[in-house]
Amino acid sequence: MKSHVWRTLFVVILLVVGIMVFRLFYVPSDFGSGKRGFMYSYHRFSNEGEWKAQPIKYRDTGKQKMHEYCGECHDDVVEVRTEDLHGTIACENCHGPAFDHPEDPEELVIDRSRALCLRCHTDLPYTTSERHRIPGIDPKEHNVDEMCVDCHDPHNPRLEDM
Amino acid sequence: MERRDFLKKSIIVVAGASVPLSALELVDPKEVLAANPDIHWAFLLDTHKCVGCGFCVKACKTENDIPFNAKVTRTWVERYVYTKDDRRYIDSPNGAQDGYTESRIDLGQGNFKEIDPENVGKAFFVPKLCNHCETPPCTQVCPVGATYKTDDGVVLVDRTWCIGCGYCIMACPYGARFFHPVEKVADKCTFCYHRITKGMETACVNACPFGARKMCNINDINDPVTQIIMNQRVGVLKDEFGTKPQAFYIGLAQEVR
């Protein structure tokens, strides 16, 4: 073979070897594919651990867990709530994330805004939707500029108890 | 053997034995996965129960540090309004992060449409999120191996490896991916991987007061939610795409896609 062929071939081989050496150092050693194969799961395995280590902000305060944790200190409120209409709403929806409460934050920031109540209690003309079963108001007419919680007790929202 | 030699050798043996053990525990997540090889996460959404309060979106954005003032979200709620003169309106203002507090439809670009309440035929809300497909198109197109499906069925994005090219955002037929404005990488629902792997509910499931969102291990046939998926009439979005979504819906309409 002539020397100009060798020269090109040498450059190509050098490039390939160079890229493979670079790859050897650059690609993390735990790159690979799990049981779902190369097409769907070629990845760095340690990334799964990184996602698992993300900080948790919300506790599990669904109806059952609320008894267990929030009720340890606030049993008076939890007892009223769980029996009543708002009992299905998780505490943290209004009281804010409380994973490390009472250490951090010591006091939760409570969202008392009208906007929070209006998420469910704006009257929408959707008779076929579950939304229709929730009592609703027209926010442009019903005591504008006043806080809902000034009159209504969110823990015991029954109108007859107002 | 002298006392000094014995101590030296035993120190070497103890050090040698403890290093690979701890290294295995930290480095090899296959070991961790092998503990639960049968888990396959799936999601169930009941559109009959959703009232469009948007607490799920609020909880998701708070839990996962998605900015509230950016028009991106990992989960969102859509509103469908059918009028009696056979028109269909669909909107999702800000992904419903503040719920639906107005009856007018957001047509986009600052235009709104007020619908006469007498004219409303049927209306409903549909919560949406990443479907964590069995054959996800988004992970196929990733040129750098940054997005992948875990063995327990969750599609994740490797933030240190993502180059932000946006192929996966284009590839997702459900529009579930977006470009994270702070992290500058592709982002999506993780099924709250940091919570479900510790036995907790996802932030959105936890926040939903009406039980419209539920999660289960679809391989566990004794799970009550798995029972619903197996025994009741559930549907998936865009079945014809062959993506095999793992988010199942009760009460789908053909307009919901």
Side-chain angles (χ1 to χ4, degrees), chain B residues 189-243:
Chain B
C189 161
T190 61
F191 268 175
C192 282
Y193 205 53
H194 55 302
R195 296 173 64 91
I196 57 171
T197 47
K198 295 183 185 75
M200 301 171 81
E201 300 274 23
T202 68
C204 57
V205 170
N206 186 30
C208 181
F210 306 98
R213 291 167 171 261
K214 288 192 175 87
M215 236 190 136
C216 67
N217 169 17
I218 204 164
N219 284 348
D220 176 11
I221 56 163
N222 296 318
D223 191 310
V225 181
T226 308
Q227 288 280 337
I228 297 175
I229 295 174
M230 287 197 323
N231 300 333
Q232 295 190 22
R233 283 155 289 179
V234 294
V236 293
L237 301 175
K238 292 183 183 167
D239 195 21
E240 66 277 16
F241 277 55
T243 52

Side-chain angles (χ1 to χ4, degrees), chain A residues 26 28 31 34-36 39-45 47-48 51-52 54-62 88-90 92-93 97 116 118-120 122 124-126 128-131 134, chain B residues 29 33 37 40 48 51 53-55 58-59 62-63 65 79 97-98 100-101 117 122-123 134-136 139-140 145 148-151 157-158 160-161 194-195 197-198 200-201 206-207 209:
Chain A
Y26 190 70
F31 239 87
K35 68 178 178 187
R36 285 168 202 281
M39 194 193 290
Y40 299 115
S41 74
Y42 183 65
H43 69 289
R44 191 168 58 90
F45 277 107
N47 183 244
E48 292 174 21
W51 278 113
K52 282 180 195 170
Q54 288 277 311
I56 298 175
K57 291 178 186 156
Y58 283 102
R59 288 201 151 264
D60 261 0
T61 46
T88 55
I89 304 174
E92 288 170 309
N93 278 7
L116 188 100
L118 290 176
R119 283 170 178 264
C120 296
T122 309
L124 296 177
Y126 306 150
T128 59
S129 167
E130 191 78 352
R131 177 72 169 248
I134 302 173
Chain B
L33 278 177
H40 186 120
H48 295 299
V51 304
C53 65
F55 273 131
K58 182 192 176 200
T62 310
E63 176 77 28
D65 292 321
R79 166 166 63 181
Q97 65 182 25
D98 303 314
Y100 287 93
T101 55
K122 63 177 171 185
E134 219 11 48
T135 53
T139 66
Q140 290 182 46
Y148 58 95
K149 193 162 172 72
T150 63
D151 286 354
V157 180
D158 185 341
T160 56
W161 216 244
H194 55 302
R195 296 173 64 91
T197 47
K198 295 183 185 75
M200 301 171 81
E201 300 274 23
N206 186 30

Side-chain angles (χ1 to χ4, degrees), chain A residues 60-79:
Chain A
D60 261 0
T61 46
K63 200 165 185 202
Q64 195 51 46
K65 305 269 172 65
M66 191 166 63
H67 290 284
E68 292 165 18
Y69 186 75
C70 302
E72 279 177 29
C73 305
H74 309 284
D75 51 339
D76 49 333
V77 184
V78 171
E79 209 167 295

Side-chain angles (χ1 to χ4, degrees), chain A residues 2-23:
Chain A
K2 284 175 186 158
S3 68
H4 70 274
V5 178
W6 278 116
R7 239 179 253 171
T8 332
L9 205 64
F10 183 68
V11 169
V12 169
I13 290 170
L14 204 73
L15 264 173
V16 169
V17 170
I19 288 170
M20 285 179 83
V21 168
F22 172 75
R23 202 180 168 281

